[in-house]
Amino acid sequence: MTTLEQALQAYPLRGTPVYTGRYGCGHINDTYAIACDSGCMYILQRVNSKIFTRPWELMENVAAVTQFLSQKTQDPRGCLRLIPTKEGKSYFVDSEGEHWRLFPFIDNSICLQKAESAEDFKQSAIAFGRFQKLLAQFPAAQLHEPIPNFHNTVDRYRQFHEALAADVMDRARLCEAEIRFYLDREAEAGCIVERLADGRLPLRVTHNDTKLNNVMLDYDSRQALCVIDLDTIMPGSSLYDFGDSIRFGAATAAEDEQDLSKVSMSLELFRTFTEGFLSACGDSLTETEVQMLPVGAKMMTLECGLRFLTDYLKGDTYFKTSRPGQNLDRARTQLTLVADMEAKMPEMLKIIQEVQG
Ligand code: ADP
Ligand code: GN1
Ligand code: MG
């Protein structure tokens, strides 16, 4: 019996599977759609144990958060729900030690790879804002960290210094200006983690992969239904999710664009996202969090760029590349965005005031 068949047998499916096939465009897990003769459909996933080395901890996070969310919403499509195994467990372990989980297929929904309009981007903001609001009372400190220190920018700088000192590929000489740019901003690295540590910023449940393709929209209305892909949920700051959404979604060019004249942060898209996010968060964010949202955007972009540069120095061992120098290109787009955000900081703050009303 294949491990997929083992997984199918572990769950109390309604009816007999008549179709099982690979599904979606996710880059991390193995995702299958299952259709049964009863008409019931499911999503079955094998967790990527190369990236997530302690999948049982990740599954404890997913089980705790989905359980909490399901008590907050009546709408069956309003949150991701785990289906327990026949033994009542939240995941199944196959004969090779791989972890599987089963979800109801979210009916009549669509998952976009790219925003086709500003409204799509706004809907992702609503989904992630609602996610924050619904989880505002969740005891975030109880969550595991599937990737420790994921958004600890101070630690990301430590790793950068290590890579720079080793310079195993002899590439530092090829990116002196970029290295300087990131080093010039090292003093700012602690601005979120220090506030989390001393309580000026509250600890929240963060999603950490806030791309549009992790949001399900209603197929007909294209309104946000729920957030999916909960593997990287961790304790952190709301600024992480807001910031990473802006970094990726409000950029006017691709993450690896080589023509830097095309790279900027769209204030219009910043406003669009902020409107959706704040309207859905309601009053669950503190005033400090709201005021620091633009800083969150800058810090997430700085950190991501630093990670790309670190990976370039180390020989491209973390981020997948399809051409030489791609990680350096990515580090360059991110620093261009950071510089643009620095210039637009007063306007971003003004937008925050206007949206807050
Ligand atoms: P990955 O971590 O590999 O990105 P995801 O959990 O994001 O995995 O799932 C991959 C894709 O599968 C999603 O982009 C979405 O299209 C689809 N998908 C995931 N869960 C569901 C669900 N419950 N209902 C319908 N489609 C889903
Ligand atoms: C990675 O796997 P993907 O493309 O969703 C990375 C993010 C980065 C992003 C940059 C677990 O996300 O942190 O922002 O690349 N995810 C992980 O493209 O490291
Ligand atoms: Mg995904």
Side-chain angles (χ1 to χ4, degrees):
M1 200 188 324
T2 65
T3 55
L4 175 64
E5 286 162 354
Q6 288 174 24
L8 285 171
Q9 286 206 354
Y11 285 97
L13 301 176
R14 290 195 182 174
T16 306
V18 287
Y19 171 83
T20 304
R22 291 296 281 258
Y23 189 77
C25 305
H27 292 131
I28 307 295
N29 299 305
D30 292 331
T31 302
Y32 298 88
I34 315 292
C36 290
D37 55 5
S38 61
C40 282
M41 285 184 67
Y42 303 91
I43 287 283
L44 178 66
Q45 281 181 327
R46 178 169 42 215
V47 179
N48 184 328
S49 57
K50 290 201 177 65
I51 292 190
F52 300 110
T53 52
R54 299 165 75 85
W56 54 94
E57 288 190 353
L58 171 162
M59 285 309 301
E60 277 175 31
N61 280 357
V62 176
V65 166
T66 51
Q67 165 75 12
F68 190 92
L69 286 173
S70 65
Q71 287 165 359
K72 299 255 168 193
T73 166
Q74 305 303 318
D75 179 358
R77 301 187 301 163
C79 73
L80 203 57
R81 290 160 204 268
L82 272 176
I83 299 175
T85 65
K86 287 176 183 164
E87 293 178 353
K89 303 242 167 66
S90 56
Y91 58 89
F92 167 69
V93 185
D94 69 24
S95 58
E96 293 172 5
E98 299 296 328
H99 289 56
W100 298 76
R101 70 277 179 100
L102 186 75
F103 303 104
F105 191 95
I106 298 169
D107 283 336
N108 200 39
S109 64
I110 183 168
C111 174
L112 300 173
Q113 292 310 310
K114 207 168 163 285
E116 287 164 18
S117 67
E119 185 56 31
D120 291 338
F121 190 42
K122 187 169 198 168
Q123 290 303 318
S124 77
I126 290 173
F128 287 112
R130 199 182 288 156
F131 185 75
Q132 269 307 329
K133 185 182 162 110
L134 292 175
L135 291 168
Q137 304 306 323
F138 186 94
Q142 287 179 11
L143 291 172
H144 301 284
E145 279 195 344
I147 306 176
N149 285 321
F150 191 59
H151 280 314
N152 183 339
T153 316
V154 175
D155 195 63
R156 295 290 185 184
Y157 266 98
R158 183 191 59 73
Q159 294 178 38
F160 173 67
H161 281 290
E162 259 179 35
L164 187 55
D167 194 16
V168 288
M169 306 298 287
D170 191 25
R171 287 179 172 174
R173 64 196 168 81
L174 305 174
C175 51
E176 284 172 4
E178 290 78 6
I179 291 170
R180 175 67 25 226
F181 182 95
Y182 286 101
L183 289 179
D184 281 347
R185 284 151 183 81
E186 186 166 3
E188 297 167 51
C191 78
I192 298 178
V193 279
E194 283 162 14
R195 284 174 173 78
L196 279 176
D198 67 20
R200 277 177 290 167
L201 283 172
L203 197 67
R204 303 280 188 192
V205 179
T206 53
H207 182 280
N208 294 309
D209 193 2
T210 53
K211 293 196 195 117
L212 187 65
N213 67 7
N214 287 326
V215 172
M216 303 305 290
L217 307 177
D218 179 73
Y219 186 84
D220 300 310
S221 68
R222 279 174 90 129
Q223 303 275 299
L225 292 172
C226 65
V227 161
I228 59 166
D229 204 347
L230 304 178
D231 297 333
T232 48
I233 43 178
M234 296 180 221
S237 165
S238 57
L239 306 184
Y240 298 162
D241 283 355
F242 178 88
D244 207 43
S245 301
I246 298 297
R247 176 192 78 75
F248 193 79
T252 56
E255 202 172 62
D256 61 350
E257 175 61 57
Q258 290 176 290
D259 178 355
L260 295 179
S261 69
K262 293 186 181 156
V263 179
S264 66
M265 187 213 52
S266 157
L267 279 170
E268 219 168 303
L269 289 175
F270 177 83
R271 182 188 292 274
T272 300
F273 194 88
T274 303
E275 282 171 358
F277 190 75
L278 286 183
S279 72
C281 279
D283 55 8
S284 58
L285 297 188
T286 65
E287 192 51 29
T288 308
E289 285 176 296
V290 175
Q291 291 308 320
M292 285 187 70
L293 291 175
V295 173
K298 178 183 159 184
M299 290 311 296
M300 287 301 97
T301 312
L302 182 70
E303 181 191 279
C304 192
L306 186 74
R307 291 172 65 195
F308 289 141
L309 192 58
T310 305
D311 201 34
Y312 175 69
L313 292 171
K314 288 172 83 168
D316 311 309
T317 58
Y318 188 90
F319 294 105
K320 286 196 190 103
T321 53
S322 54
R323 56 177 160 79
Q326 195 173 12
N327 271 320
L328 179 56
D329 292 337
R330 291 171 176 150
R332 286 181 174 143
T333 62
Q334 302 305 293
L335 74 82
T336 306
L337 280 173
V338 168
D340 194 40
M341 288 178 188
E342 287 172 349
K344 290 175 175 162
M345 194 54 75
E347 285 160 286
M348 286 198 273
L349 287 165
K350 191 160 160 264
I351 289 171
I352 298 283
Q353 308 309 338
E354 286 166 6
V355 172
Q356 248 192 330

